[in-house]
Amino acid sequence: MAVSGIILAGGRSSRMGRDKTLLLFKNETLIERTVRKLQNFVDEIIIASNHTAKYNLPGIVEVPDSYPGMGPLGGMHAGLMIAKHQYSFIVSCDMPFFTEELARYLLERKAGCDVVVPEIGNRLEPLCAVYSRNCIKPIEKCLQAGVSQVFRFYPDVRVCKIVESDLRQVGDPKEIFCNLNTPEDLYYLGESDKPVS
C-alpha cells in the first residue's frame, strides 16, 4: 500500500518511570512490536523519537522534532514532513493492540479527507489515525502559536470521524485503543510480576 507509517515514540514516559518504547510486551519491545505490525501494510516506516539513531532498526528512519517539547503534535509534524506519501497512518508506540485490520479500515476511508480519526463515544483517538500531508501547514500554525493539543488544527482540514459502531467491524474499540501509561497497566495485562504501589 502506498502509505507511510509514522510511530510516535518521543514521549517522556513520566508516568511509567522508564522508557516505554523499550518495555517488553509479549517478548518484544513496544517499538519492535509497532514496527512489525506496520511492516505488514505500509511502504515506509518513520519513528518520530527526538533522535536519529536511538533504535537502529534496519530500513527505519528516525527523525527529531522541529518543534521540541510540543508533545505528539510535534512528532506528527516531524514525521509528515519527511513522509514519501500523501497519507500516513500515525500511531503512538504505547498502543500495543492496534491492528492491521483497523489501519486498513481507516485508510480505505481516506478519499476526500485529510484526517481519518476514530471516535469512541465523544472521545477522539488522534494518536491512532490517518493524516495527509495537507495537515502540515495547519499543524505548523498551531506549533508556532505554542498550541500542542492534536485536535486543535482539525478545524482547518477535512476530518472524517469513524464512529464506534463502525469500528466494531474490525475489533473491540476498548481493546484496540488501550494504551500503556503506568506500571499498573503492564501488571493488569499480565506483563509484570506485581503492581507498583
Side-chain angles (χ1 to χ4, degrees), residues 95 102 118 120 125 128 167 172-179:
M95 301 183 75
L102 167 71
I120 311 301
E125 293 289 347
C128 187
L167 292 167
D172 180 355
K174 288 185 174 60
E175 178 176 308
I176 290 173
F177 300 109
C178 170
N179 62 335

Side-chain angles (χ1 to χ4, degrees), residues 95 115-129 131 150-152 154-155 159-164 167 177:
M95 301 183 75
V115 177
V116 184
V117 60
E119 184 178 38
I120 311 301
N122 293 318
R123 180 182 170 192
L124 297 176
E125 293 289 347
L127 304 187
C128 187
Y131 294 87
V150 172
F151 62 87
R152 289 286 291 275
Y154 282 9
V159 177
C160 299
K161 298 175 183 177
I162 309 299
V163 298
E164 184 172 355
L167 292 167
F177 300 109

Side-chain angles (χ1 to χ4, degrees), residues 141-159:
K141 181 179 173 183
C142 284
L143 294 172
Q144 289 167 357
V147 174
S148 62
Q149 296 101 324
V150 172
F151 62 87
R152 289 286 291 275
F153 78 92
Y154 282 9
D156 295 328
V157 294
R158 299 167 298 174
V159 177

Side-chain angles (χ1 to χ4, degrees), residues 3-155:
V3 64
S4 302
I6 299 172
I7 303 172
L8 302 176
R12 289 174 293 181
S13 304
S14 54
R15 283 187 286 170
M16 187 63 75
R18 52 189 167 137
D19 188 342
K20 283 196 284 189
T21 67
L22 300 176
L23 285 174
L24 280 178
F25 186 82
K26 301 192 182 300
N27 301 313
E28 58 188 342
T29 64
L30 287 181
I31 197 71
E32 290 169 340
R33 181 180 177 87
T34 308
V35 165
R36 174 178 56 78
K37 288 184 168 190
L38 288 179
Q39 285 173 332
N40 291 327
F41 63 92
V42 302
D43 186 55
E44 67 166 347
I45 297 176
I46 299 160
I47 300 176
S49 69
N50 288 320
H51 298 273
T52 56
K54 178 178 179 179
Y55 304 106
N56 290 312
L57 297 169
I60 309 299
V61 176
E62 296 181 49
V63 61
D65 292 356
S66 299
Y67 296 86
M70 296 300 286
L73 192 61
M76 291 167 59
H77 173 264
L80 288 169
M81 283 290 291
I82 68 164
K84 292 190 301 189
H85 301 297
Q86 177 67 12
Y87 286 93
S88 295
F89 176 72
I90 298 183
V91 65
S92 176
C93 73
D94 65 358
M95 301 183 75
F97 298 113
F98 88 89
T99 64
E100 177 182 350
E101 291 75 20
L102 167 71
R104 289 185 181 277
Y105 186 82
L106 298 179
L107 286 162
E108 286 167 1
R109 282 145 187 81
K110 69 185 186 304
C113 303
D114 296 312
V115 177
V116 184
V117 60
E119 184 178 38
I120 311 301
N122 293 318
R123 180 182 170 192
L124 297 176
E125 293 289 347
L127 304 187
C128 187
V130 174
Y131 294 87
S132 82
R133 288 180 54 82
N134 295 342
C135 296
I136 292 174
K137 291 297 183 185
I139 290 175
E140 280 182 359
K141 181 179 173 183
C142 284
L143 294 172
Q144 289 167 357
V147 174
S148 62
Q149 296 101 324
V150 172
F151 62 87
R152 289 286 291 275
F153 78 92
Y154 282 9

